[in-house]
């Protein structure tokens, strides 16, 4: 749970691209997790079968009815669900851990890309979880949504240029990621200025 919540708590973005070796590693982790889970289901029911056999031997000696063995975790859909979960969980936790390391230990200075902000919205999922996001379009026409902490959403309430600046970093593990998005305003001389989260202003030129 801590690993799952950590990227959101630290406001860490997921990598924009993942190199093939990491994809292969994720697939390998899924296969290992599923295989270990499959083996665990077999071992669990084998142990249960052996214990039940011992109990039935005592029951026969005492003239009591014996109990039939029924697989608990290795039978039917239960095994399938457990195996799928066993393959998915390591990939999920590993991906979030890699994203966290890639961002937290990234010492490189950020680069900024001008984008067009199309919407600032909040939404509630399942009636409980509220999230805030900024939708923007890059110069190449790619649309994306960037999560914004509720404490920073007020920066976008006075947006009057429709422009924003994506703050990108190369990543500690060489996987580029977006750290933040900032509203951009223009001075009387036409210079673009990005309003950063810490309250400072960054000149982006004309």
């Amino acid at each position: 749970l801590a690993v799952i919540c950590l990227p959101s708590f630290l406001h860490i973005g997921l990598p924009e691209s993942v190199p093939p070796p990491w994809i292969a590693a994720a697939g390998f982790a899924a296969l290992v997790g599923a295989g270990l889970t499959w083996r665990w289901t077999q071992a669990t029911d084998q142990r249960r079968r052996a214990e039940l056999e011992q109990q039935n031997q005592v029951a026969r000696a005492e003239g009591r009815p014996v109990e039939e063995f029924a697989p608990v975790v290795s039978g039917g859909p239960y095994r399938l669900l457990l195996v799928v979960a066993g393959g998915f969980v390591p990939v999920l936790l590993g991906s979030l851990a890699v994203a966290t390391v890639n961002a937290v230990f990234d010492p490189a200075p950020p680069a900024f890309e001008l984008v067009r902000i199309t919407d600032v919205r909040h939404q509630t999922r399942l009636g409980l979880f509220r999230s805030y996001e900024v939708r923007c379009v890059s110069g190449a026409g790619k649309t994306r949504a960037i999560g914004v902490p509720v404490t920073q959403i007020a920066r976008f309430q006075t947006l009057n240029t429709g422009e924003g600046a994506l703050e990108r970093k190369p990543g500690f593990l060489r996987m580029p990621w977006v750290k933040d998005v900032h509203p951009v305003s223009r001075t009387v001389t036409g210079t673009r200025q990005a309003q950063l989260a810490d309250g400072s202003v960054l000149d982006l030129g004309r």
Side-chain angles (χ1 to χ4, degrees), residues 1 6 16 37 39 68 73 86 106 122 136 158 185 188:
L1 182 60
L6 189 59
E16 293 185 288
T37 304
R39 185 67 187 91
E68 293 293 333
V73 295
D106 185 359
H122 74 270
C136 54
T158 58
S185 59
V188 292

Side-chain angles (χ1 to χ4, degrees), residues 75-96:
Y78 297 105
R79 168 177 281 188
L80 178 61
L81 290 175
L82 286 171
V83 169
V84 170
F88 175 74
V89 170
V91 175
L92 173 63
L93 297 182
S95 299
L96 293 175

Side-chain angles (χ1 to χ4, degrees), residues 184-194 202-206:
V184 170
S185 59
R186 285 181 180 267
T187 65
V188 292
T189 61
T191 301
R192 292 185 176 93
Q193 291 183 330
L202 177 69
D203 286 336
L204 298 175
R206 294 175 182 272

Side-chain angles (χ1 to χ4, degrees), residues 4-202:
I4 293 175
C5 295
L6 189 59
S8 178
F9 178 76
L10 296 177
H11 191 39
I12 291 172
L14 297 177
E16 293 185 288
S17 60
V18 180
W22 288 102
I23 297 176
F28 179 75
L31 291 176
V32 171
L36 291 176
T37 304
W38 179 279
R39 185 67 187 91
W40 174 80
T41 61
Q42 290 182 318
T44 298
D45 278 340
Q46 287 174 358
R47 183 171 61 254
R48 172 58 182 161
R49 185 192 296 271
E51 293 173 352
L52 185 61
E53 183 59 30
Q54 292 180 351
Q55 295 175 6
N56 285 341
Q57 289 179 359
V58 175
R60 292 189 188 96
E62 296 177 353
R64 293 184 288 108
V66 298
E67 181 180 350
E68 293 293 333
F69 172 76
V72 178
V73 295
S74 65
Y78 297 105
R79 168 177 281 188
L80 178 61
L81 290 175
L82 286 171
V83 169
V84 170
F88 175 74
V89 170
V91 175
L92 173 63
L93 297 182
S95 299
L96 293 175
V98 167
T100 301
V101 171
N102 185 63
V104 170
F105 297 100
D106 185 359
F112 294 88
E113 176 192 354
L114 284 174
V115 294
R116 179 169 54 86
I117 294 179
T118 59
D119 194 14
V120 180
R121 66 174 62 180
H122 74 270
Q123 55 185 351
T124 303
R125 295 181 176 87
L126 303 178
L128 297 173
F129 306 102
R130 174 168 291 186
S131 62
Y132 295 83
E133 63 183 23
V134 175
R135 294 184 177 271
C136 54
V137 180
S138 67
K142 181 180 180 181
T143 302
R144 62 184 306 155
I146 309 297
V148 178
V150 63
T151 54
Q152 299 295 331
I153 199 67
R155 291 190 296 150
F156 296 89
Q157 302 303 324
T158 58
L159 184 68
N160 55 15
T161 65
E163 292 180 312
L166 285 184
E167 182 178 350
R168 276 198 173 92
K169 301 193 72 177
F172 178 73
L173 300 175
R174 299 295 182 266
M175 289 185 282
W177 62 290
V178 173
K179 182 179 181 180
D180 208 345
V181 58
H182 309 286
V184 170
S185 59
R186 285 181 180 267
T187 65
V188 292
T189 61
T191 301
R192 292 185 176 93
Q193 291 183 330
Q195 304 171 24
L196 305 185
D198 60 4
S200 61
V201 175
L202 177 69

